[in-house]
Amino acid sequence: MKDNAVDLAIVNIGQLLTMAEKGLGIIENAAIVIHNGIIIDVGESSIRQHYHPQQTIDAQGKVVTPGLIDCHTHLIFSGSRENEMVQRLQGESYLTILKRGGGILSTVQRTQKASQESLLSDGKKWLNVALRYGVTALEIKSGYGLDYENELKQLHVLTELKERAPQKIIPTFLAHAFPRGCDTELLQQHYIHTLIEKMLPSFKKYADFVDVFVEEGVFSAPQADLILSEAKQIGYKLKMHVNQIKSIGGIELAVKHQVLSVDHLDTINEKEIALLSKIETTVVLLPGASYFLNCTTVPDVVSLSQYNIPMAIATNFNPGSCPSLNIHLMMSLAVHRFGMTPEQAWQGVTINAARALGLQEELGSIVVGRKAHIVIWDMQNYWMPFYHFGHNFVEYVIIEKGVTRF
Ligand code: NIG
């Protein structure tokens, strides 16, 4: 019999989604015990009698889940692009707007002009919004600098956020586009050379991942190949934006480099899915961008699941294709527009999102030894976010030793 003094016990949990097994690993009438920011016991409510907690939270029969992980965001940027939303509503395409120097490039212009302080202050503001939605860890990409100084500025902001934000931050250096005017093969070769020779080596101390946007009019598969090969050599973990709008050989490249996550996939076909299933990777689906860009094709989640490829869901928060941090809405869109099951959607924002970042031994499930990233929801069952779509039911967010009640 244990007789331990511990920091925190959460008791009287109606439905605990542990995500410990293939499904949701539900325990009813459950309790969790936390000490020093680590989960030290999980089980039925009777386990509480073995501990003397300094603080006890009575979950009053509600739902408790792991903290949500937003594994694909572009959260450091300046300005907004409502004008482009209107242009798209009038029939212009996302890629045409980019081609004439708008889109990503208009945010680059604003972000280059912004000071590090203002980017930091905006970043903190957005992270508070994410916290309110129960997001306890986020991957954040650079990619709105497009030159050495401005990418570095974004990475410095990420480093500060990593040190100061309540959430866990995972920084990525993103090769997002060619700078304005870089539209001949020679200029592009020169840019890739700078990226490989200067940016990749010196950004290693700031970023865990390198990501490349492979798309028509952005990086071609051979260009991305050069970047990914060098990034791998230097020791970065790899991610890719692929098959968002066009399929241009990104899947083959993802397989070649065995990237940890393959993101977007709005246009993937079954042959490509079969190819992808040959490597250990996680696909990151971004239903907010699909909705906001009014995409006519959606990822083939039935085949992805038949091929046993883990599926994560993220907001893709950015000023162009998804200016929303409401990850609950993304879960609901994944179910109602992409055809995922509610169970797959919960896996998508917890354990599979952790997999997309290589953090599944640390985060994404409520298991003894994992970090205490936990959300208590003011709801009776785990279907409610899909039914009351977009509504925020988060009541408590626990990140290791910090408890926030909303
Ligand atoms: O993931 N696709 C590329 N990057 C973002 C959009 C960035 C932007 O439009 O500013 C995305 O959708």
Side-chain angles (χ1 to χ4, degrees), residues 72 74 81 94 104 144 176 213 241 244 264 316 318 320-321:
H72 179 134
H74 305 252
R81 312 208 311 249
Y94 180 77
I104 294 170
Y144 288 121
H176 204 181
F213 183 19
H241 283 59
Q244 180 179 7
H264 280 288
N316 186 22
N318 72 76
S321 67

Side-chain angles (χ1 to χ4, degrees), residues 285 301 311-313 331 334-345 348:
L285 306 181
V301 300
M311 294 181 279
I313 301 168
M331 292 163 69
V335 166
H336 297 292
R337 282 196 82 238
F338 287 4
M340 284 172 100
T341 64
E343 290 74 16
Q344 286 172 329

